Coordinates of all heavy atoms in Angstrom, one line a residue:
A1 N 7.7 -38.6 -61.2 CA 9.1 -38.7 -60.9 C 9.6 -37.2 -60.7 O 9.5 -36.4 -61.6 CB 9.9 -39.3 -62.0
I2 N 10.1 -36.9 -59.5 CA 10.6 -35.6 -59.2 C 12.0 -35.4 -59.7 O 12.9 -36.3 -59.5 CB 10.6 -35.4 -57.7 CG1 9.1 -35.5 -57.1 CG2 11.2 -34.1 -57.3 CD1 9.0 -35.4 -55.6
A3 N 12.2 -34.3 -60.5 CA 13.5 -34.0 -61.1 C 14.4 -33.4 -60.2 O 13.9 -32.6 -59.3 CB 13.3 -33.1 -62.3
K4 N 15.6 -33.8 -60.2 CA 16.7 -33.1 -59.3 C 16.8 -31.7 -59.8 O 16.5 -31.3 -60.9 CB 18.0 -33.9 -59.4 CG 18.0 -35.2 -58.9 CD 19.3 -36.0 -59.0 CE 19.2 -37.4 -58.5 NZ 20.5 -38.1 -58.6
F5 N 17.3 -30.9 -58.9 CA 17.5 -29.4 -59.1 C 18.3 -29.2 -60.4 O 17.9 -28.3 -61.2 CB 18.1 -28.7 -57.9 CG 18.3 -27.3 -58.0 CD1 17.2 -26.5 -57.9 CD2 19.5 -26.7 -58.3 CE1 17.2 -25.1 -58.0 CE2 19.6 -25.3 -58.4 CZ 18.5 -24.5 -58.2
D6 N 19.5 -29.8 -60.5 CA 20.3 -29.6 -61.7 C 19.7 -30.1 -63.0 O 19.9 -29.4 -64.0 CB 21.7 -30.3 -61.5 CG 21.6 -31.8 -61.4 OD1 20.7 -32.3 -60.8 OD2 22.5 -32.5 -61.8
V7 N 18.8 -31.1 -62.9 CA 18.0 -31.5 -64.1 C 17.0 -30.4 -64.5 O 16.9 -30.1 -65.7 CB 17.3 -32.8 -63.9 CG1 16.4 -33.2 -65.0 CG2 18.4 -33.9 -63.7
K8 N 16.3 -29.9 -63.6 CA 15.3 -28.9 -63.8 C 15.9 -27.6 -64.3 O 15.3 -26.8 -65.0 CB 14.5 -28.6 -62.6 CG 13.0 -28.4 -62.9 CD 12.2 -28.4 -61.7 CE 10.8 -28.1 -62.2 NZ 9.9 -27.8 -61.1
N9 N 17.2 -27.3 -64.0 CA 17.8 -26.1 -64.4 C 18.3 -26.1 -65.9 O 18.7 -25.1 -66.4 CB 19.0 -25.7 -63.6 CG 18.6 -25.0 -62.3 OD1 17.5 -24.5 -62.2 ND2 19.4 -25.1 -61.3
N10 N 18.2 -27.3 -66.5 CA 18.6 -27.4 -67.9 C 17.4 -27.9 -68.7 O 17.0 -29.1 -68.5 CB 19.8 -28.4 -68.0 CG 20.2 -28.6 -69.4 OD1 19.4 -28.7 -70.3 ND2 21.5 -28.7 -69.6
P11 N 16.8 -27.1 -69.5 CA 15.5 -27.5 -70.2 C 15.7 -28.8 -71.0 O 14.8 -29.6 -71.0 CB 15.3 -26.3 -71.1 CG 15.9 -25.1 -70.5 CD 17.1 -25.7 -69.8
Q12 N 16.8 -29.0 -71.6 CA 17.0 -30.2 -72.4 C 17.0 -31.5 -71.4 O 16.3 -32.4 -71.7 CB 18.3 -30.2 -73.2 CG 18.5 -31.5 -74.0 CD 19.7 -31.5 -74.8 OE1 20.5 -30.5 -74.7 NE2 20.0 -32.5 -75.6
D13 N 17.7 -31.4 -70.3 CA 17.7 -32.5 -69.4 C 16.3 -32.7 -68.8 O 15.9 -33.8 -68.5 CB 18.7 -32.2 -68.3 CG 20.2 -32.2 -68.7 OD1 20.4 -32.8 -69.8 OD2 21.0 -31.8 -68.0
Y14 N 15.6 -31.6 -68.5 CA 14.3 -31.7 -67.9 C 13.3 -32.4 -68.9 O 12.5 -33.3 -68.5 CB 13.8 -30.3 -67.5 CG 12.5 -30.4 -66.7 CD1 12.3 -31.1 -65.5 CD2 11.4 -29.6 -67.1 CE1 11.2 -31.2 -64.8 CE2 10.2 -29.7 -66.4 CZ 10.1 -30.4 -65.3 OH 9.0 -30.5 -64.5
I15 N 13.3 -32.0 -70.1 CA 12.5 -32.6 -71.1 C 12.8 -34.0 -71.3 O 11.9 -34.9 -71.4 CB 12.6 -31.9 -72.5 CG1 12.2 -30.4 -72.4 CG2 11.9 -32.6 -73.6 CD1 10.8 -30.1 -72.1
N16 N 14.1 -34.4 -71.3 CA 14.5 -35.8 -71.4 C 13.9 -36.6 -70.1 O 13.5 -37.7 -70.3 CB 16.0 -35.9 -71.4 CG 16.5 -35.6 -72.8 OD1 15.8 -35.6 -73.8 ND2 17.8 -35.1 -72.9
H17 N 14.1 -36.0 -69.0 CA 13.5 -36.6 -67.8 C 12.0 -36.8 -67.9 O 11.6 -37.9 -67.5 CB 13.8 -35.7 -66.5 CG 13.2 -36.1 -65.3 ND1 13.7 -37.0 -64.4 CD2 12.0 -35.7 -64.7 CE1 12.9 -37.2 -63.4 NE2 11.9 -36.4 -63.5
L18 N 11.3 -35.9 -68.3 CA 9.8 -36.0 -68.5 C 9.6 -37.2 -69.4 O 8.6 -38.0 -69.2 CB 9.2 -34.7 -69.0 CG 9.3 -33.5 -68.1 CD1 8.7 -32.3 -68.7 CD2 8.7 -33.8 -66.7
M19 N 10.3 -37.3 -70.6 CA 10.0 -38.3 -71.5 C 10.4 -39.6 -71.1 O 9.6 -40.6 -71.2 CB 10.7 -37.9 -72.9 CG 10.1 -36.7 -73.5 SD 10.7 -36.2 -75.1 CE 12.3 -37.0 -75.4
Q20 N 11.5 -39.7 -70.5 CA 12.0 -41.1 -70.0 C 11.1 -41.6 -68.9 O 10.9 -42.9 -68.8 CB 13.4 -41.0 -69.5 CG 14.4 -40.7 -70.6 CD 15.8 -40.4 -70.1 OE1 16.1 -40.3 -68.8 NE2 16.8 -40.3 -71.0
N21 N 10.6 -40.8 -68.1 CA 9.8 -41.2 -66.9 C 8.3 -41.1 -67.2 O 7.5 -41.4 -66.3 CB 10.1 -40.4 -65.7 CG 11.5 -40.6 -65.2 OD1 11.7 -41.7 -64.6 ND2 12.4 -39.8 -65.5
K22 N 7.9 -40.8 -68.5 CA 6.5 -40.8 -68.9 C 5.7 -39.9 -67.9 O 4.6 -40.3 -67.5 CB 5.9 -42.1 -69.0 CG 6.6 -43.0 -70.0 CD 6.1 -44.4 -70.1 CE 6.9 -45.2 -71.1 NZ 6.4 -46.6 -71.2
V23 N 6.2 -38.7 -67.6 CA 5.6 -37.8 -66.7 C 4.3 -37.2 -67.3 O 4.3 -36.8 -68.5 CB 6.6 -36.6 -66.3 CG1 5.9 -35.6 -65.4 CG2 7.7 -37.3 -65.5
S24 N 3.2 -37.2 -66.6 CA 1.9 -36.7 -67.1 C 1.5 -35.4 -66.5 O 0.6 -34.7 -67.0 CB 0.8 -37.8 -66.9 OG 0.6 -38.0 -65.5
I25 N 2.1 -35.0 -65.3 CA 1.7 -33.8 -64.6 C 3.0 -33.0 -64.3 O 4.0 -33.6 -63.8 CB 0.9 -34.1 -63.3 CG1 -0.3 -34.8 -63.7 CG2 0.6 -32.8 -62.6 CD1 -1.1 -35.3 -62.4
V26 N 3.0 -31.7 -64.6 CA 4.1 -30.8 -64.3 C 3.6 -29.7 -63.5 O 2.5 -29.1 -63.8 CB 4.8 -30.4 -65.6 CG1 5.7 -29.2 -65.3 CG2 5.5 -31.5 -66.3
K27 N 4.4 -29.3 -62.5 CA 4.0 -28.1 -61.7 C 5.2 -27.2 -61.7 O 6.2 -27.6 -61.4 CB 3.6 -28.5 -60.2 CG 3.2 -27.3 -59.4 CD 2.6 -27.7 -58.1 CE 2.2 -26.4 -57.4 NZ 1.5 -26.8 -56.1
C28 N 5.0 -25.9 -62.0 CA 6.0 -24.9 -62.2 C 5.5 -23.5 -62.1 O 4.3 -23.3 -62.1 CB 6.9 -25.2 -63.4 SG 6.0 -25.1 -64.9
T29 N 6.4 -22.6 -62.2 CA 6.1 -21.2 -62.2 C 5.8 -20.8 -63.7 O 6.3 -21.5 -64.6 CB 7.2 -20.3 -61.7 OG1 8.3 -20.5 -62.5 CG2 7.4 -20.6 -60.2
P30 N 5.0 -19.8 -64.0 CA 4.8 -19.4 -65.3 C 6.1 -19.0 -66.0 O 6.2 -19.2 -67.3 CB 3.9 -18.2 -65.2 CG 3.0 -18.5 -63.9 CD 4.1 -19.1 -63.0
S31 N 7.0 -18.4 -65.4 CA 8.3 -18.0 -66.1 C 9.0 -19.3 -66.5 O 9.6 -19.3 -67.6 CB 9.2 -17.1 -65.2 OG 9.5 -17.7 -64.0
Y32 N 9.0 -20.3 -65.7 CA 9.7 -21.5 -66.1 C 8.9 -22.2 -67.2 O 9.5 -22.7 -68.2 CB 9.9 -22.5 -64.9 CG 10.7 -23.7 -65.3 CD1 12.1 -23.6 -65.2 CD2 10.2 -24.9 -65.7 CE1 12.9 -24.7 -65.6 CE2 11.0 -25.9 -66.1 CZ 12.3 -25.9 -66.0 OH 13.1 -26.9 -66.4
F33 N 7.6 -22.1 -67.1 CA 6.7 -22.7 -68.1 C 7.0 -22.0 -69.5 O 7.0 -22.7 -70.5 CB 5.3 -22.4 -67.7 CG 4.2 -22.8 -68.7 CD1 3.9 -24.1 -69.0 CD2 3.5 -21.8 -69.3 CE1 2.9 -24.4 -69.9 CE2 2.5 -22.0 -70.2 CZ 2.2 -23.4 -70.6
A34 N 7.2 -20.7 -69.5 CA 7.6 -20.1 -70.7 C 8.8 -20.6 -71.4 O 8.9 -20.8 -72.6 CB 7.7 -18.5 -70.5
L35 N 9.9 -20.8 -70.5 CA 11.1 -21.4 -71.0 C 10.9 -22.8 -71.5 O 11.4 -23.1 -72.6 CB 12.2 -21.3 -70.0 CG 12.7 -20.0 -69.5 CD1 13.5 -20.1 -68.2 CD2 13.4 -19.2 -70.6
F36 N 10.2 -23.6 -70.8 CA 9.9 -25.0 -71.0 C 9.2 -25.1 -72.3 O 9.5 -25.8 -73.2 CB 9.1 -25.5 -69.8 CG 8.5 -26.8 -70.0 CD1 9.1 -27.9 -69.8 CD2 7.1 -26.9 -70.2 CE1 8.5 -29.2 -69.9 CE2 6.4 -28.1 -70.4 CZ 7.2 -29.2 -70.2
S37 N 8.2 -24.2 -72.5 CA 7.3 -24.2 -73.7 C 8.1 -23.8 -74.9 O 8.0 -24.3 -76.0 CB 6.1 -23.3 -73.4 OG 5.3 -23.2 -74.6
A38 N 9.0 -22.7 -74.8 CA 9.8 -22.3 -75.9 C 10.8 -23.4 -76.3 O 10.9 -23.5 -77.6 CB 10.5 -21.0 -75.5
Y39 N 11.3 -24.1 -75.4 CA 12.2 -25.2 -75.8 C 11.5 -26.2 -76.6 O 12.0 -26.8 -77.6 CB 12.9 -25.8 -74.5 CG 13.9 -26.8 -74.8 CD1 15.2 -26.6 -75.0 CD2 13.5 -28.2 -75.0 CE1 16.1 -27.6 -75.4 CE2 14.4 -29.2 -75.3 CZ 15.7 -28.9 -75.5 OH 16.6 -29.8 -75.9
I40 N 10.3 -26.6 -76.1 CA 9.5 -27.6 -76.8 C 9.2 -27.2 -78.2 O 9.3 -28.0 -79.1 CB 8.2 -28.0 -76.0 CG1 8.5 -28.6 -74.6 CG2 7.3 -28.8 -76.8 CD1 7.3 -28.7 -73.7
R41 N 8.8 -26.0 -78.4 CA 8.5 -25.5 -79.7 C 9.8 -25.4 -80.6 O 9.7 -25.8 -81.7 CB 7.9 -24.1 -79.6 CG 6.5 -24.0 -79.2 CD 5.8 -22.7 -79.3 NE 6.6 -21.5 -78.9 CZ 6.7 -21.1 -77.6 NH1 6.0 -21.7 -76.7 NH2 7.4 -20.1 -77.3
E42 N 10.9 -24.9 -80.1 CA 12.1 -24.8 -80.8 C 12.6 -26.1 -81.3 O 13.1 -26.2 -82.4 CB 13.1 -24.1 -80.0 CG 14.4 -23.8 -80.8 CD 15.5 -23.0 -80.0 OE1 15.1 -22.4 -79.0 OE2 16.6 -23.0 -80.4
Y43 N 12.5 -27.1 -80.5 CA 13.1 -28.4 -80.9 C 12.0 -29.4 -81.2 O 12.3 -30.7 -81.3 CB 13.9 -29.0 -79.7 CG 15.2 -28.1 -79.5 CD1 15.2 -27.1 -78.5 CD2 16.3 -28.3 -80.3 CE1 16.3 -26.4 -78.4 CE2 17.4 -27.5 -80.2 CZ 17.5 -26.5 -79.2 OH 18.6 -25.8 -79.1
N44 N 10.8 -29.0 -81.5 CA 9.7 -29.8 -81.9 C 9.6 -31.1 -81.1 O 9.6 -32.2 -81.7 CB 9.9 -30.1 -83.4 CG 8.6 -30.6 -84.1 OD1 7.5 -30.2 -83.6 ND2 8.7 -31.3 -85.1
T45 N 9.6 -30.9 -79.8 CA 9.5 -32.1 -78.9 C 8.1 -32.5 -78.6 O 7.2 -31.7 -78.4 CB 10.2 -31.7 -77.6 OG1 11.5 -31.2 -77.9 CG2 10.3 -32.9 -76.6
N46 N 7.8 -33.8 -78.7 CA 6.5 -34.3 -78.4 C 6.5 -34.9 -77.0 O 7.1 -36.0 -76.8 CB 6.1 -35.3 -79.5 CG 4.7 -35.9 -79.3 OD1 4.0 -35.6 -78.3 ND2 4.3 -36.8 -80.1
L47 N 5.8 -34.3 -76.1 CA 5.6 -34.8 -74.8 C 4.2 -35.5 -74.8 O 3.3 -35.0 -74.1 CB 5.7 -33.7 -73.8 CG 7.0 -33.0 -73.7 CD1 7.0 -31.9 -72.6 CD2 8.1 -34.1 -73.2
R48 N 4.1 -36.6 -75.3 CA 2.8 -37.3 -75.5 C 2.2 -37.7 -74.1 O 1.0 -37.9 -74.1 CB 2.9 -38.4 -76.4 CG 3.9 -39.6 -75.9 CD 3.9 -40.7 -76.9 NE 5.0 -41.6 -76.7 CZ 6.2 -41.6 -77.2 NH1 6.5 -40.6 -78.1 NH2 7.1 -42.4 -76.9
Y49 N 3.0 -37.8 -73.1 CA 2.5 -38.3 -71.8 C 2.0 -37.1 -70.9 O 1.2 -37.3 -70.0 CB 3.5 -39.0 -71.0 CG 4.0 -40.3 -71.8 CD1 5.2 -40.4 -72.3 CD2 3.2 -41.4 -71.9 CE1 5.7 -41.4 -73.0 CE2 3.6 -42.5 -72.6 CZ 4.9 -42.5 -73.2 OH 5.3 -43.6 -73.8
L50 N 2.4 -35.9 -71.3 CA 2.0 -34.8 -70.5 C 0.5 -34.4 -70.8 O 0.2 -34.1 -71.9 CB 2.9 -33.5 -70.9 CG 2.7 -32.3 -70.1 CD1 3.1 -32.5 -68.6 CD2 3.5 -31.1 -70.6
T51 N -0.2 -34.5 -69.7 CA -1.6 -34.1 -69.8 C -2.1 -33.0 -69.0 O -3.1 -32.4 -69.3 CB -2.5 -35.4 -69.3 OG1 -2.2 -35.7 -68.0 CG2 -2.3 -36.6 -70.2
K52 N -1.3 -32.7 -68.0 CA -1.7 -31.5 -67.0 C -0.5 -30.7 -66.7 O 0.6 -31.2 -66.4 CB -2.3 -32.1 -65.7 CG -3.6 -32.7 -66.0 CD -4.2 -33.3 -64.7 CE -5.5 -33.9 -64.8 NZ -5.6 -35.1 -65.7
V53 N -0.7 -29.4 -66.7 CA 0.4 -28.5 -66.2 C -0.3 -27.6 -65.1 O -1.3 -27.0 -65.3 CB 0.9 -27.6 -67.3 CG1 1.9 -26.6 -66.8 CG2 1.5 -28.5 -68.5
I54 N 0.3 -27.5 -64.0 CA -0.1 -26.7 -62.9 C 0.8 -25.5 -62.7 O 2.1 -25.7 -62.5 CB -0.2 -27.5 -61.6 CG1 -1.2 -28.7 -61.8 CG2 -0.7 -26.7 -60.5 CD1 -1.1 -29.8 -60.7
L55 N 0.3 -24.3 -62.8 CA 1.2 -23.1 -62.7 C 0.8 -22.4 -61.4 O -0.4 -22.3 -61.1 CB 0.9 -22.3 -64.0 CG 1.2 -22.9 -65.3 CD1 0.8 -22.1 -66.4 CD2 2.8 -23.3 -65.4
G56 N 1.8 -21.7 -60.8 CA 1.5 -20.9 -59.7 C 2.7 -20.1 -59.2 O 3.8 -20.3 -59.7
G57 N 2.5 -19.1 -58.4 CA 3.5 -18.3 -57.8 C 3.8 -17.0 -58.5 O 4.5 -16.1 -58.0
E58 N 3.3 -16.9 -59.8 CA 3.5 -15.7 -60.5 C 2.3 -15.5 -61.5 O 1.5 -16.4 -61.7 CB 4.8 -15.8 -61.4 CG 6.0 -16.1 -60.8 CD 7.1 -16.5 -61.8 OE1 6.8 -16.7 -63.0 OE2 8.3 -16.5 -61.3
K59 N 2.2 -14.3 -62.1 CA 1.2 -14.1 -63.0 C 1.5 -14.8 -64.4 O 2.6 -14.9 -64.8 CB 1.1 -12.5 -63.3 CG 0.1 -12.2 -64.3 CD 0.0 -10.6 -64.5 CE -1.0 -10.3 -65.6 NZ -1.0 -8.9 -65.9
L60 N 0.5 -15.4 -64.9 CA 0.6 -16.1 -66.1 C 0.4 -15.2 -67.3 O -0.5 -14.4 -67.3 CB -0.4 -17.3 -66.2 CG -0.6 -18.0 -67.5 CD1 0.7 -18.8 -67.8 CD2 -1.7 -19.1 -67.3
I61 N 1.3 -15.2 -68.2 CA 1.2 -14.4 -69.5 C 0.4 -15.2 -70.5 O 0.7 -16.3 -70.9 CB 2.6 -14.1 -70.1 CG1 3.5 -13.5 -69.0 CG2 2.5 -13.2 -71.3 CD1 3.1 -12.2 -68.5
K62 N -0.7 -14.5 -71.0 CA -1.6 -15.2 -71.9 C -1.0 -15.7 -73.2 O -1.2 -16.8 -73.6 CB -2.8 -14.2 -72.3 CG -3.8 -14.8 -73.1 CD -4.9 -13.8 -73.4 CE -6.0 -14.4 -74.3 NZ -7.1 -13.5 -74.6
S63 N 0.0 -14.9 -73.7 CA 0.7 -15.4 -74.9 C 1.5 -16.6 -74.7 O 1.6 -17.4 -75.7 CB 1.6 -14.2 -75.5 OG 2.5 -13.8 -74.6
D64 N 2.0 -16.8 -73.6 CA 2.8 -18.1 -73.2 C 1.8 -19.2 -73.2 O 2.2 -20.3 -73.7 CB 3.5 -17.9 -71.9 CG 4.6 -16.9 -71.8 OD1 5.1 -16.6 -73.0 OD2 5.0 -16.5 -70.8
L65 N 0.7 -19.0 -72.6 CA -0.3 -20.1 -72.6 C -0.8 -20.5 -74.0 O -0.9 -21.6 -74.3 CB -1.5 -19.7 -71.7 CG -2.6 -20.7 -71.5 CD1 -2.1 -21.9 -70.8 CD2 -3.7 -20.0 -70.7
L66 N -1.1 -19.5 -74.8 CA -1.6 -19.7 -76.2 C -0.5 -20.4 -77.0 O -0.9 -21.3 -77.8 CB -2.0 -18.4 -76.8 CG -3.2 -17.7 -76.2 CD1 -3.5 -16.4 -76.9 CD2 -4.5 -18.6 -76.2
A67 N 0.7 -20.0 -76.8 CA 1.8 -20.7 -77.6 C 1.9 -22.2 -77.2 O 2.2 -23.0 -78.0 CB 3.2 -20.0 -77.3
F68 N 1.7 -22.4 -75.8 CA 1.8 -23.8 -75.4 C 0.7 -24.7 -76.0 O 0.9 -25.8 -76.4 CB 1.8 -23.9 -73.9 CG 1.8 -25.2 -73.3 CD1 2.9 -26.1 -73.3 CD2 0.6 -25.8 -72.8 CE1 2.9 -27.3 -72.8 CE2 0.6 -27.1 -72.3 CZ 1.8 -27.9 -72.4
F69 N -0.5 -24.1 -76.0 CA -1.7 -24.8 -76.6 C -1.5 -25.1 -78.1 O -2.1 -26.1 -78.6 CB -3.0 -24.1 -76.3 CG -3.5 -24.3 -74.9 CD1 -4.0 -23.2 -74.3 CD2 -3.5 -25.5 -74.3 CE1 -4.5 -23.4 -73.0 CE2 -4.0 -25.7 -73.0 CZ -4.5 -24.6 -72.4
Q70 N -0.7 -24.4 -78.8 CA -0.4 -24.7 -80.2 C 0.4 -26.0 -80.4 O 0.2 -26.7 -81.3 CB 0.4 -23.5 -80.8 CG -0.5 -22.3 -81.0 CD 0.3 -21.2 -81.7 OE1 1.6 -21.3 -81.9 NE2 -0.4 -20.2 -82.1
I71 N 1.2 -26.3 -79.3 CA 2.0 -27.5 -79.4 C 1.5 -28.6 -78.6 O 1.8 -29.8 -78.8 CB 3.5 -27.2 -79.0 CG1 3.6 -26.6 -77.6 CG2 4.2 -26.3 -80.0 CD1 4.9 -26.6 -77.0
S72 N 0.6 -28.3 -77.7 CA 0.0 -29.4 -76.8 C -1.5 -29.0 -76.6 O -1.9 -28.7 -75.4 CB 0.8 -29.5 -75.6 OG 0.4 -30.6 -74.8
P73 N -2.3 -29.1 -77.6 CA -3.7 -28.6 -77.5 C -4.6 -29.5 -76.5 O -5.6 -28.9 -76.0 CB -4.3 -28.7 -78.9 CG -3.3 -29.7 -79.6 CD -2.0 -29.5 -78.9
K74 N -4.2 -30.7 -76.3 CA -5.0 -31.5 -75.4 C -4.6 -31.4 -73.9 O -5.4 -31.9 -73.1 CB -5.0 -33.0 -75.9 CG -5.6 -33.1 -77.3 CD -5.7 -34.5 -77.7 CE -6.3 -34.7 -79.1 NZ -6.4 -36.1 -79.5
S75 N -3.5 -30.8 -73.7 CA -3.1 -30.7 -72.2 C -4.0 -29.7 -71.5 O -4.5 -28.7 -72.0 CB -1.7 -30.1 -72.1 OG -0.8 -31.1 -72.6
Q76 N -4.2 -30.0 -70.2 CA -5.0 -29.2 -69.4 C -4.1 -28.3 -68.5 O -3.1 -28.8 -68.0 CB -5.9 -30.0 -68.4 CG -7.0 -30.8 -69.1 CD -7.6 -31.7 -68.2 OE1 -7.3 -31.9 -67.0 NE2 -8.8 -32.3 -68.6
V77 N -4.4 -27.0 -68.4 CA -3.5 -26.1 -67.7 C -4.3 -25.5 -66.6 O -5.4 -25.0 -66.7 CB -2.9 -25.0 -68.6 CG1 -2.1 -24.0 -67.8 CG2 -2.1 -25.6 -69.7
Y78 N -3.7 -25.6 -65.3 CA -4.4 -25.0 -64.1 C -3.5 -23.9 -63.6 O -2.3 -24.1 -63.4 CB -4.6 -26.1 -63.1 CG -5.4 -27.2 -63.5 CD1 -4.8 -28.4 -64.1 CD2 -6.7 -27.3 -63.3 CE1 -5.5 -29.4 -64.6 CE2 -7.5 -28.3 -63.8 CZ -6.9 -29.4 -64.4 OH -7.6 -30.5 -64.8
N79 N -4.2 -22.7 -63.3 CA -3.5 -21.6 -62.9 C -3.8 -21.4 -61.4 O -5.0 -21.1 -61.1 CB -3.8 -20.4 -63.7 CG -3.1 -19.1 -63.3 OD1 -2.1 -19.2 -62.5 ND2 -3.4 -18.0 -63.8
E80 N -2.9 -21.6 -60.5 CA -3.2 -21.5 -59.1 C -2.9 -20.1 -58.5 O -3.0 -19.8 -57.3 CB -2.3 -22.5 -58.3 CG -2.6 -23.9 -58.5 CD -1.7 -24.8 -57.7 OE1 -0.6 -24.5 -57.4 OE2 -2.2 -25.9 -57.4
Y81 N -2.5 -19.2 -59.4 CA -2.1 -17.8 -58.9 C -3.4 -17.0 -58.8 O -4.2 -16.8 -59.7 CB -1.2 -17.2 -59.9 CG -0.6 -15.9 -59.6 CD1 0.3 -15.7 -58.5 CD2 -1.1 -14.7 -60.2 CE1 0.8 -14.5 -58.2 CE2 -0.6 -13.4 -59.8 CZ 0.4 -13.4 -58.8 OH 0.9 -12.2 -58.4
G82 N -3.5 -16.4 -57.6 CA -4.6 -15.4 -57.3 C -5.9 -15.8 -57.8 O -6.9 -15.4 -58.0

């Protein structure tokens, strides 16, 4: 389910969208991924349907990736950048 622009601009709305639609794959930039991941950690959100994250368009920061794996160790992350 593709999220509307205004939904994606609000992390809480986006997380709710992912949960309500049982989204299993997310594609975004690493900077958005960092915000998304921080929100999930801060609010202890369980995205049990999320299995894959595809990142691209920017350099991925290793610490952001490691932080995400702490909360979602079974998810697969693909880096399309360079």
Side-chain angles (χ1 to χ4, degrees):
I2 296 174
K4 294 179 181 179
F5 184 76
D6 59 327
V7 170
K8 217 168 176 192
N9 279 338
N10 180 319
Q12 181 179 5
D13 289 346
Y14 188 56
I15 298 297
N16 288 338
H17 171 83
L18 297 178
M19 293 183 343
Q20 290 171 357
N21 292 286
K22 300 178 182 178
V23 173
S24 60
I25 300 171
V26 168
K27 184 172 182 175
C28 60
T29 62
S31 57
Y32 189 83
F33 173 72
L35 294 172
F36 168 79
S37 180
Y39 183 90
I40 294 169
R41 285 191 314 276
E42 183 176 343
Y43 293 98
N44 198 27
T45 305
N46 180 359
L47 293 177
R48 64 180 168 265
Y49 301 107
L50 185 63
T51 59
K52 294 178 179 62
V53 178
I54 303 167
L55 303 171
E58 303 168 348
K59 181 179 178 183
L60 175 61
I61 307 293
K62 184 177 180 179
S63 60
D64 293 337
L65 182 63
L66 295 175
F68 178 73
F69 280 138
Q70 289 180 351
I71 56 172
S72 190
K74 294 184 180 182
S75 291
Q76 297 174 347
V77 177
Y78 299 90
N79 185 9
E80 294 183 330
Y81 184 73

